[in-house]
């Protein structure tokens, strides 16, 4: 046992133990420690989870064990899967198989935007589309306010661009519909990992979900990626007024506030300074209508 403390990040949970990777292991101390929590931590009701920045003490050098004494406050918290301090949400959308659907893609993008974190779009399976059509799709995504990274886990094309993007952020998590190739992308990013890749099955071309526990893997010195695909069930905010900011192409139009009305929902009302000439406008309006009908009193929303 050494009488020193160290800081690190929780990279995995194992039953009642936390696996902690030290940021800067002091001389003679292993870089990865199996830790318990100080009981007062649980008494305070503060849970410790993957992604948490922690301070460890009572380090047992021989057994590579320690005790988590303190948890830093979180910069972000995702619940599905539970991960603290995520800084980048990577939304993976296939160019084909399953075919690109603006509606479904947007659901995932809106859910990603709800986290308030940086969002990176990845267009996967680029090998399935001729270059001119791929460029059209990229251009379409730019119209939605995103600069997509198009890649193929088959050919490896574009994978390096995503690696660089992930290396530029502290903690990235992937999400997207089943079967778009998330596990394949993670296998490309973390070659030592070998996640099971689910075959796209049946007429619906939906893949199976094959991964469960969250674990963080280092990519370069200061960045990590969660090995588990993130939220798979997209959802929308309860308040219709919160929908607009989730569309980057609409958000860009709202600074400075262009409308005569403070509570404007930007549906072409006279005095509203927001254009209705954008591709996802109709999607925005139908989303609004859905939220308004759900939030009507007496509907249990
Ligand atoms: P996930 O459900 O999003 O994790 O998707 P998987 O990684 O399990 O992949 C689903 C299916 O798509 C598998 O049959 C993969 O072989 C296939 N796939 C994944 N990446 C690519 C790619 O870049 N190109 C092509 N053509 N197929 C891919
Ligand atoms: Zn308006």
């Amino acid at each position: 046992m050494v009488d020193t403390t160290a800081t690190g990040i929780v990279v995995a949970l194992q039953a009642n133990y936390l696996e902690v990777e030290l940021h800067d292991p002091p001389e003679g101390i292993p870089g990865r420690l199996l830790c318990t929590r100080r009981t007062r931590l649980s008494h305070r009701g503060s849970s410790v989870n993957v992604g948490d920045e922690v301070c460890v003490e009572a380090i047992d050098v021989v057994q590579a064990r320690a005790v988590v004494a303190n948890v830093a406050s979180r910069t972000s918290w995702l619940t599905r899967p539970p991960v603290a301090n995520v800084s980048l949400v990577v939304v993976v959308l296939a160019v084909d198989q399953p075919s690109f659907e603006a509606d479904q893609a947007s659901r995932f993008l809106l859910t990603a935007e709800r986290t308030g974190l940086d969002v990176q779009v990845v267009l996967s399976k680029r090998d399935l589309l001729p270059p001119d059509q791929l460029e059209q799709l990229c251009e379409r995504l730019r119209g939605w306010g995103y600069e997509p990274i198009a890649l193929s886990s088959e050919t490896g094309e574009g994978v390096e661009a995503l690696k660089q993007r992930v290396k530029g952020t502290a903690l990235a998590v992937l999400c997207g519909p089943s079967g778009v190739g998330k596990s394949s992308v993670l296998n490309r990013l973390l070659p030592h990992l070998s996640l099971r890749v689910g075959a796209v099955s049946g007429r619906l071309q939906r893949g199976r979900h094959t991964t469960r526990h969250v674990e963080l893997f280092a990519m370069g010195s200061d960045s990590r990626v969660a090995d588990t695909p993130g939220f798979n069930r997209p959802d929308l905010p309860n308040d219709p007024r919160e929908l607009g900011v989730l569309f980057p192409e609409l958000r860009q139009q709202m600074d400075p506030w262009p409308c005569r009305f403070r509570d404007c929902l930007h549906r072409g009302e006279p005095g509203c300074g927001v254009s209705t000439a954008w591709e996802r406008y109709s999607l925005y309006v139908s989303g609004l209508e859905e939220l308004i009908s759900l939030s009507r009193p007496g509907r249990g929303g």
Side-chain angles (χ1 to χ4, degrees), residues 50 55 71 101 116 121 142 188 207 209 224 249 259 264 271 280 290 296:
V50 170
C55 181
V71 188
E101 312 264 0
V121 174
R142 284 180 205 117
R188 277 282 185 175
H209 211 44
R224 288 183 174 77
E249 69 274 51
C259 309
C264 186
R280 295 199 293 170
E290 189 183 324
R296 215 166 269 156

Side-chain angles (χ1 to χ4, degrees), residues 92 94-98 123-128 151-157 159 174-188 195-201 205-211 229 232:
V92 184
V95 303
D96 201 5
Q97 294 180 22
L123 290 173
S124 61
K125 310 196 187 187
R126 66 175 289 170
D127 56 289
L128 296 176
L151 59 74
S152 165
S153 302
E154 288 278 311
T155 67
E157 204 178 350
V159 170
L174 266 65
C175 70
S178 282
V180 294
K182 296 181 296 297
S183 308
S184 307
V185 168
L186 282 165
N187 282 334
R188 277 282 185 175
L195 289 174
R196 271 176 57 207
V197 167
V200 173
S201 57
Q205 299 255 298
R206 291 215 176 103
R208 282 171 297 128
H209 211 44
T210 47
T211 39
N232 242 37

Side-chain angles (χ1 to χ4, degrees), residues 95 123 126 129-139 150-151:
V95 303
L123 290 173
R126 66 175 289 170
L129 220 55
D132 55 326
Q133 287 180 38
L134 180 67
E135 184 43 39
Q136 273 174 27
L137 188 54
C138 289
E139 197 49 39
L151 59 74

Side-chain angles (χ1 to χ4, degrees), residues 70-113:
N70 254 309
V71 188
S73 58
R74 293 169 175 161
T75 58
S76 72
W77 173 241
L78 300 187
T79 51
R80 293 193 323 243
V83 193
N85 301 319
V86 171
S87 48
L88 176 70
V89 180
V90 178
V91 180
V92 184
L93 303 164
V95 303
D96 201 5
Q97 294 180 22
S99 54
F100 184 90
E101 312 264 0
D103 221 346
Q104 188 196 40
S106 289
R107 285 271 170 163
F108 276 92
L109 291 171
L110 296 175
T111 307
E113 294 288 349

Side-chain angles (χ1 to χ4, degrees), residues 138-175:
C138 289
E139 197 49 39
R140 196 170 167 198
L141 265 305
R142 284 180 205 117
W144 296 7
Y146 297 100
E147 186 55 54
I149 294 174
L151 59 74
S152 165
S153 302
E154 288 278 311
T155 67
E157 204 178 350
V159 170
E160 192 52 37
L162 180 59
K163 272 190 190 160
Q164 291 313 318
R165 179 70 169 100
V166 169
K167 279 183 182 170
T169 194
L171 178 50
V173 66
L174 266 65
C175 70

